[in-house]
Amino acid sequence: MLKYVTSKNLNPTSEYILGDYMYGIIKEDQQKKGTPWKDEELTPSTKGGVRGYESLIGLTNDGEINRMIQGTEYKFPVLNLTHGRECYNYLAKMLQNGGGDGFDVNNLKFDNIDEVKQIYIKVVVTIWL
C-alpha cells in the first residue's frame, strides 16, 4: 500500500488496497477541492454549504479517468471480482446517503466485467455547492 500512496501505481496481483483507504483518498481529495466535508461526517453535509451530493459506484475493466464528466471520477484497482464486491459494499455504506442500509452487493450482476482483465472500482462524486 505504501507503494500506491507514493507512486499511485499498484501491482494488483500482489498488493491489496482496502476500502477504507479508497474512502480516505476520496474524502481527502474532495476536502482539498474545497468541499465542506468535516472529518467526522461520512458524506458532505447540506448543513455545511453543499446543495446536493451524489455518489455513483461501479466496477469496470477500464482504468482511464474520465475528466470530461460532471463531478470527479476515482478508479482503484482491485485484485479480483470478490475484492471488487467487498470494496463496492464498503464504499456504498460510506458514501451513499442512508449508509447503504439494506444494500446487498451480491444481488448486483457484473456480467460486463471480464475477470481475466484488470478490474477497477469506479466512484463518481458530484457535489453542488
Side-chain angles (χ1 to χ4, degrees), residues 23 26-28 30-31 35-50 52-57 90-100 123 125-127 129:
Y23 171 76
I26 293 167
K27 186 173 184 175
E28 182 181 313
Q30 287 297 315
Q31 289 172 324
T35 301
W37 189 343
K38 296 179 183 171
D39 287 338
E40 64 274 6
E41 296 175 329
L42 289 181
T43 61
S45 172
T46 54
K47 296 173 190 159
V50 174
Y53 164 79
E54 180 180 54
S55 174
L56 304 173
I57 304 170
Y90 180 82
L91 291 170
K93 287 180 180 173
M94 297 302 285
L95 291 171
Q96 294 184 331
N97 290 327
V123 179
V125 174
T126 306
I127 297 174
L129 297 175

Side-chain angles (χ1 to χ4, degrees), residues 4 11 86 109:
Y4 186 74
N11 178 354
E86 290 170 4
K109 301 285 186 232

